Amino acid sequence: MSEFAYKYGFIGMGNMGFAMLKGLLQATPAESLTFSARNREKMAKVEAETGVHPASSNLECAKSSKYLILAVKPQQYDTVIGEIREVVSADQVILSIAPGITIEDLGKRFGKPVRVVRAMPNTPALVGEGMTGVSFEEDQFSEKERADIREFFCSFGRMEIVGENLMNAVVCASGSSPAYIYMIIEALADSVVKYGLPRASAYQMVAQTVLGSAKMVLETGKHPGELKDQVCSPGGTTIAGVSALEEYGLRNALIKASDACYEKCTRVK
Ligand SMILES: NC(=O)C1=CN([C@@H]2O[C@H](COP(=O)(O)OP(=O)(O)OC[C@H]3O[C@@H](n4cnc5c(N)ncnc54)[C@H](OP(=O)(O)O)[C@@H]3O)[C@@H](O)[C@H]2O)C=CC1
Ligand SMILES: O=C(O)[C@@H]1CCC=N1
């Protein structure tokens, strides 16, 4: 019997905490989960929607959870750690999802031996299609804990273990990039509303196309360039569009987005 009342405890229940919680609930009973945040009204709403009981405080959440997920903004880390430091023990596992905060840095902030898993999930976790890059020192965790860590992240999508030196790149690849994809969906929809397609149809057609195209990459294993070529009939409509995208710098715009995102990761405090 575990000494902890809950298997997973979330501190912070905003966009990312809630997305992970909802995904997790597909595979985990509500009774094994808890959470804390600041706003009592919002917490009551989450409880009503999910059946997950909130803890009375961050301290209570930290004390009672085997796996403690820090789902607050990086700027809140020191406040939260200050509140929970005394009750966190090396028997627990801290899951940190903030960009730019290293495992070593987190250890220093706790000022005592803690075991940390550093991860970068994304909001599609809400619909079970998350993508999480995960980094941890394997030998610090038991076989059961490693299985639990995998089960946690897989409950709301795919996960891949990466070296910690690649975590900033993961932020660019999957943590932040859903925002870019939504911008592309919005812009592409605008571009066809211009030609008379009703807005609702435009979002549905474009979003389903993004979903289908992503599935093609994941399930055929073909190079994205090859899949693109299959759409481009010689002298056809698509190559005319592709040519315009090259002229206006789509590829370079995305590369520059990752440069800016990566650079920002190195400056998170
Ligand atoms: N949003 C995203 O796409 C992704 C975010 N992340 C990371 O996840 C973390 C959370 O981000 P996100 O969910 O977007 O942020 P939100 O602002 O949506 O949520 C933050 C949550 O933290 C709570 N909170 C703030 N201060 C405290 C405190 N002192 N004690 C307890 N709870 C507190 C807030 O509670 P209340 O509302 O009650 O004030 C809120 O529930 C960040 O580190 C972020 O970088 C990682 C990957 C993707
Ligand atoms: O924008 C941010 O800082 C967070 C981290 C990744 C996605 N959202």
Side-chain angles (χ1 to χ4, degrees):
M1 183 72 181
S2 165
E3 62 188 290
F4 298 100
Y6 299 99
K7 186 164 181 183
Y8 300 111
F10 292 77
I11 297 186
M13 196 36 66
N15 292 312
M16 201 57 243
F18 188 68
M20 290 191 291
L21 183 79
K22 282 289 269 195
L24 193 57
L25 280 166
Q26 305 299 317
T28 315
E31 301 74 54
S32 62
L33 312 175
T34 189
F35 68 97
S36 61
R38 281 182 307 200
N39 183 317
R40 292 267 137 206
E41 227 172 274
K42 275 201 240 165
M43 287 166 70
K45 255 175 93 178
V46 172
E47 182 181 18
E49 188 178 335
T50 62
V52 176
H53 290 298
S56 57
S57 63
N58 292 339
L59 190 77
E60 204 46 51
C61 184
K63 227 195 283 188
S64 55
S65 308
K66 164 76 185 176
Y67 295 89
L68 186 63
I69 302 106
L70 299 182
V72 298
K73 298 283 189 202
Q75 298 80 354
Q76 288 295 328
Y77 263 51
D78 285 339
T79 306
V80 167
I81 290 171
E83 285 172 32
I84 65 174
R85 182 189 285 123
E86 62 179 284
V87 298
V88 169
S89 79
D91 292 338
Q92 287 166 288
V93 177
I94 312 285
L95 294 118
S96 169
I97 61 165
I101 299 181
T102 64
I103 294 172
E104 188 187 359
D105 181 32
L106 210 50
K108 283 191 192 141
R109 291 184 192 215
F110 273 94
K112 66 198 279 194
V114 284
R115 294 182 305 142
V116 177
V117 173
R118 182 174 168 195
M120 182 45 54
N122 62 16
T123 53
L126 184 74
V127 292
E129 292 291 350
M131 179 68 231
T132 310
V134 182
S135 187
F136 56 91
E137 293 287 339
E138 294 241 350
D139 58 3
Q140 285 188 0
F141 300 89
S142 69
E143 206 172 304
K144 166 82 173 83
E145 287 170 336
R146 291 201 298 268
D148 284 346
I149 291 163
R150 192 171 280 280
E151 182 188 88
F152 175 77
F153 291 111
C154 288
S155 71
F156 46 80
R158 296 179 188 230
M159 66 95 86
E160 193 169 323
I161 294 177
V162 298
E164 199 184 3
N165 60 328
L166 292 175
M167 283 306 282
N168 291 351
V170 172
V171 180
C172 305
S174 57
S176 292
S177 64
Y180 317 156
I181 304 299
Y182 301 133
M183 288 170 75
I184 289 171
I185 291 173
E186 191 186 14
L188 208 45
D190 277 350
S191 77
V192 294
V193 167
K194 185 177 172 188
Y195 291 105
L197 209 59
R199 194 158 276 283
S201 303
Y203 290 137
Q204 161 134 308
M205 286 185 192
V206 174
Q208 174 60 30
T209 299
V210 169
L211 179 70
S213 307
K215 266 190 135 170
M216 287 288 279
V217 173
L218 291 170
E219 291 180 13
T220 67
K222 287 191 172 159
H223 188 285
E226 186 182 345
L227 294 169
K228 179 211 73 186
D229 288 352
Q230 288 172 359
V231 191
C232 293
S233 310
T237 56
T238 314
I239 196 69
V242 165
S243 165
L245 285 176
E246 294 293 11
E247 185 182 347
Y248 289 102
L250 176 75
R251 286 172 199 264
N252 197 45
L254 292 172
I255 290 168
K256 292 290 184 232
S258 285
D259 287 348
C261 180
Y262 193 99
E263 198 272 332
K264 183 72 182 176
C265 288
T266 66
R267 286 189 291 113
V268 170
K269 292 202 186 72

